[in-house]
Amino acid sequence: MLAQSQLYPVTNSVRTSMLLDGMWRFQFDPASCGQAEGWENGLPASISMPVPASFSDFFTSHKERDYCGDFWYQTSFYVPADWNGSMYVRFGSITHRATVYCNGQELCSHEGGFLPVVVPVTAAVKKGQENVLVVKANNELSEKSLPCGSVKVLSDGRKLGKPYFDFFNYSGIQRSVYLVHIPQEAVTDFDTAYELQGQDALVHYSVTTSGDHPVSVRLLDAEGNVAAEGQGKTGTLAVANAHLWQVRNAYLYRLVISIHDGEKLIDQYSAKIGIRTVEISGPRILVNGKPVYLRGFGKHEDADIIGRGFSWAVAKRDFECMKWIGANCFRTSHYPYAEEWYQLADEEGFLIIDEVPGVGMMRSLWNFAAAGSGSKYTYFFETDTVPQLKANHILQVEEMIQRDKNHPSVIAWSLFNEPETTSTFAYDYFSEVFAAARALDPQKRPLTGALEKSSGPDTCKCYPLCDFICLNRYYGWYICGGPEIDEAIQQFHEEMDQWAALNLNKPFVFTEFGTDTLGSVHKLPSVMWTQEYQMEYMELNFQVFDSYDFIQGEMAWNFADFQAAEGTMRVDGNKKGIFTRQRQPKDVAFLFKKRWEEMKDAK
Ligand code: EVA
């Protein structure tokens, strides 16, 4: 059980949430001297910095954009004199770790850059006055933290982050920040699980509060009519003629949880929920008992100027593009996204494979390329730092499930992306991570992880842990690209035939396949990097997907072009987008649209 409530902030008659987004103050601290010099009381030479956003792409020099080390943020907020409950500041995330101070007092530290940081401030704030909020953050990568990487120190002493992953190490306060005031006795958590019975549904619920007063719950339909009511911290609501949350046809109820002292309302929290079930049955993924074929993307939180900062505008455009192309799902590769993404997916009926930042667990120069071609590497889970890495991994799984468990859009948890999986060390490591996850989800959603090329049918020790199997494969790109593409497809079939021979009786989903493609380049006959090649590659991949009944999903890499670390393999970022970074379709987008629109929900 996490110490702080992860509930998304709401405002109602007893709770207030104030958005602290806007222009904050900011200062780099390359010598890590801030603490010794008392910066927690106020930054001595700060510049302005928008929140939420990554700091990198505002700058015009390499040193600032690629900054690695400590950096500080500061803002101030007013606390009304009549606030007598509990107060906390809730950051959607701070990348990758942070210590938070209020009025100079150190209040909490948090590890991990993609999940909320909840800071109780009740004892530190001055009521009826301005209060100073300071954050010391750090974006260094290591083999103990998620995602994995290292830091290179250059001869002038400057640090440079060396990601073991293929996306830019965007950092900062990248999600919204709220000041929240809640009653002393409050709802701290809730969860639901569903059972369908003909036209009706049972909603099993459980509520946690910080006190002993009685709890009641009401389920409101989309028009606000009461669909069911219950008393007590746990119980079951019977919903007659339940309106189900369906794939791309969402219906949301609102669960209203109240704590009363006699007639007096002590606290109230409400959230939208969707009644639906998810299960794996043989080689099928079932939503509400019906098979669904996953059509979608691996995505990134990534856009011009704001980097990994959350923007309602970017999210809106992304959903419109995904709807236009006929998609029904996405994976939050390679980290949990801002909560607002899930809220939109709940509304739009999109399915999400929610991924923990377990990426980069393989040591190689270009992990993704080594992964793609199946080249050898040293065992990652054999070193001294593994116990700490594992503790971090499990903590982030816990925080992710705690945060996202009530979203109907979330249909599965992905616990890794492309780690080394061929050693018994890897199996032992992931057995513990999977066991932790299984114990945490009240809805018992399927667990999985994305496997790269060297995690093959004959080598991978970890696929038995997965309820359905996710493969990232680049036959025709990293393997036998260009003129050898027919050879590549033959090898692809050979691998799939080997998987088929194992008779696993589980669904397989392709969570990555793609080619870097420059939106401006055409050539006939095609060559790699042209739009024509991306089309040919996809057509051949589709043929493979359509040849095996157990393949139950295709999630192209990537939804859009995105920024990555510089290198000879990347042309101003990764260009495998089906859309450009500005969210305009490449030619191949029309191919996907035709295929996906002609597909029924199930294959
Ligand atoms: C790629 N391949 O090479 C992708 C990476 C991704 O961006 C992978 O999972 O195997 C990775 O992060 O484009």
Side-chain angles (χ1 to χ4, degrees):
M1 180 70 190
L2 301 170
Q4 302 302 328
S5 170
Q6 300 282 300
L7 294 178
Y8 192 80
V10 299
T11 296
N12 57 29
S13 65
V14 280
R15 290 181 169 234
T16 310
S17 300
M18 282 166 33
L19 209 48
L20 301 185
D21 294 359
M23 199 59 105
W24 290 38
R25 307 300 305 170
F26 178 87
Q27 192 167 344
F28 289 124
D29 182 10
S32 287
C33 63
Q35 211 142 9
E37 293 179 4
W39 292 15
E40 66 269 25
N41 298 305
L43 303 182
S46 64
I47 58 169
S48 59
M49 182 59 69
V51 169
S54 309
F55 62 70
S56 302
D57 289 349
F58 299 123
F59 290 108
T60 51
S61 80
H62 292 278
K63 279 189 181 162
E64 291 160 303
R65 183 194 58 202
D66 297 326
Y67 179 83
C68 174
D70 290 347
F71 49 94
W72 296 65
Y73 280 83
Q74 178 183 333
T75 193
S76 63
F77 60 88
Y78 178 82
V79 173
D82 61 350
W83 278 13
N84 294 317
S86 304
M87 286 162 250
Y88 57 90
V89 175
R90 186 185 193 274
F91 297 82
S93 65
I94 308 172
T95 313
H96 292 287
R97 59 194 59 81
T99 302
V100 182
Y101 309 83
C102 182
N103 296 327
Q105 210 176 311
E106 179 175 331
L107 297 180
C108 94
S109 293
H110 183 266
E111 173 68 33
F114 303 97
L115 288 158
V117 183
V118 183
V119 189
V121 296
T122 318
V125 294
K126 293 180 263 177
K127 289 190 206 169
Q129 293 180 42
E130 285 288 314
N131 293 271
V132 180
L133 184 69
V134 173
V135 176
K136 176 191 169 198
N138 173 282
N139 66 350
E140 290 172 36
L141 301 166
S142 79
E143 293 189 0
K144 290 182 285 195
S145 57
L146 279 70
C148 297
S150 58
V151 172
K152 179 176 182 182
V153 182
L154 304 178
S155 52
D156 64 359
R158 192 158 71 95
K159 290 180 192 162
L160 212 49
K162 289 281 170 192
Y164 294 176
F165 49 87
D166 182 32
F167 47 93
F168 193 83
N169 189 31
Y170 280 120
S171 314
I173 301 179
Q174 305 181 125
R175 297 179 186 162
S176 285
V177 187
Y178 284 94
L179 171 66
V180 184
H181 175 234
I182 61 170
Q184 301 275 3
E185 182 174 342
V187 176
T188 53
D189 191 20
F190 79 95
D191 51 63
T192 54
Y194 308 103
E195 237 181 282
L196 307 185
Q197 299 189 326
Q199 298 300 302
D200 307 333
L202 297 179
V203 179
H204 304 291
Y205 74 89
S206 161
V207 175
T208 314
T209 72
S210 54
D212 297 324
H213 283 97
V215 166
S216 62
V217 302
R218 262 181 311 142
L219 190 68
L220 306 181
D221 66 17
E223 280 77 49
N225 303 314
V226 178
E229 286 183 284
Q231 302 293 329
K233 288 188 180 179
T234 58
T236 297
L237 306 175
V239 185
N241 285 317
H243 204 142
L244 300 186
W245 186 94
Q246 313 264 25
V247 185
R248 298 289 297 106
N249 184 15
Y251 184 92
L252 295 171
Y253 287 89
R254 181 174 285 279
L255 186 70
V256 183
I257 305 166
S258 307
I259 308 177
H260 277 98
D261 183 2
E263 286 298 289
K264 186 171 172 270
L265 179 67
I266 297 182
D267 187 28
Q268 190 164 79
Y269 184 83
S270 78
K272 290 180 183 169
I273 60 164
I275 299 179
R276 59 102 189 87
T277 58
V278 180
E279 76 194 280
I280 302 296
S281 171
R284 296 285 178 268
I285 301 168
L286 306 182
V287 175
N288 300 328
K290 286 189 260 161
V292 57
Y293 185 84
L294 304 183
R295 311 183 294 254
F297 301 99
K299 284 182 92 311
H300 266 297
E301 289 182 293
D302 175 278
D304 283 331
I305 303 174
I306 55 174
R308 191 148 289 123
F310 177 75
S311 149
W312 281 109
V314 172
K316 173 71 181 166
R317 174 68 183 177
D318 283 8
F319 273 96
E320 289 309 312
C321 290
M322 288 194 289
K323 281 158 47 179
W324 170 82
I325 206 169
N328 63 13
C329 73
F330 61 94
R331 174 171 63 124
T332 68
S333 39
H334 295 305
Y335 37 81
Y337 291 1
E339 289 146 290
E340 292 80 3
W341 283 99
Y342 303 74
Q343 295 166 4
L344 283 169
D346 291 348
E347 303 270 350
E348 298 281 7
F350 271 84
L351 307 174
I352 292 179
I353 299 179
D354 203 2
E355 187 159 279
V356 79
V359 57
M361 297 178 167
M362 205 193 298
R363 233 176 263 116
S364 71
L365 183 57
W366 277 311
N367 234 304
F368 51 88
S373 60
S375 51
K376 295 267 176 283
Y377 42 78
T378 52
Y379 290 138
F380 193 86
F381 298 101
E382 205 184 353
T383 49
D384 298 350
T385 49
V386 163
Q388 227 175 316
L389 177 72
K390 192 166 55 191
N392 267 333
H393 203 141
I394 290 173
L395 183 64
Q396 298 207 32
V397 168
E398 189 180 358
E399 288 183 9
M400 173 177 78
I401 295 179
Q402 181 72 13
R403 189 193 73 163
D404 296 338
K405 63 188 172 184
N406 291 315
H407 289 289
S409 53
V410 174
I411 56 153
W413 310 106
S414 167
L415 305 184
F416 57 70
N417 181 71
E418 302 195 337
E420 177 258 298
T421 65
T422 57
S423 63
T424 49
F425 311 109
Y427 179 79
D428 293 346
Y429 178 100
F430 283 112
S431 308
E432 285 188 51
V433 175
F434 274 65
R438 283 208 195 280
L440 287 166
D441 181 10
Q443 294 184 8
K444 303 278 169 242
R445 272 164 275 222
L447 304 180
T448 190
L451 297 165
E452 51 78 32
K453 172 71 173 70
S454 29
S455 301
D458 48 347
T459 51
C460 179
K461 294 219 166 27
C462 296
Y463 72 77
L465 296 168
C466 299
D467 297 316
F468 65 100
I469 294 180
C470 292
L471 300 181
N472 296 352
R473 292 294 183 271
Y474 289 91
Y475 288 98
W477 187 252
Y478 295 118
I479 303 165
C480 299
E484 294 177 64
I485 192 165
D486 291 338
E487 183 85 13
I489 297 304
Q490 199 181 319
Q491 289 184 25
F492 198 174
H493 272 295
E494 281 164 21
E495 183 186 341
M496 294 321 296
D497 290 344
Q498 282 180 39
W499 284 111
L502 293 176
N503 280 318
L504 298 179
N505 198 29
K506 288 181 183 181
F508 278 59
V509 171
F510 282 94
T511 33
E512 288 186 23
F513 54 99
T515 63
D516 284 275
T517 305
L518 297 171
S520 54
V521 180
H522 288 273
K523 197 153 212 176
L524 189 68
S526 73
V527 293
M528 293 169 83
W529 295 86
T530 61
Q531 302 225 31
E532 287 71 18
Y533 189 73
Q534 192 179 29
M535 307 253 277
E536 285 169 34
Y537 168 98
M538 291 301 176
E539 300 251 39
L540 290 170
N541 273 260
F542 294 157
Q543 282 175 22
V544 176
F545 303 160
D546 293 343
S547 309
Y548 301 87
D549 176 64
F550 58 84
I551 295 177
Q552 287 297 313
E554 54 196 54
M555 302 172 78
W557 192 254
N558 186 283
F559 168 74
D561 294 347
F562 60 91
Q563 204 50 245
E566 289 175 66
T568 51
M569 302 271 290
R570 295 288 173 257
V571 186
D572 183 24
N574 186 309
K575 294 286 190 266
K576 294 197 185 66
I578 305 306
F579 293 85
T580 63
R581 201 181 191 209
Q582 291 69 40
R583 276 56 175 183
Q584 296 303 336
K586 295 183 190 168
D587 288 356
V588 77
F590 295 89
L591 187 71
F592 275 95
K593 182 172 167 62
K594 183 162 186 303
R595 173 175 167 83
W596 286 352
E597 283 182 345
E598 282 170 3
M599 262 183 192
K600 306 260 181 317
D601 271 347
K603 192 161 94 171

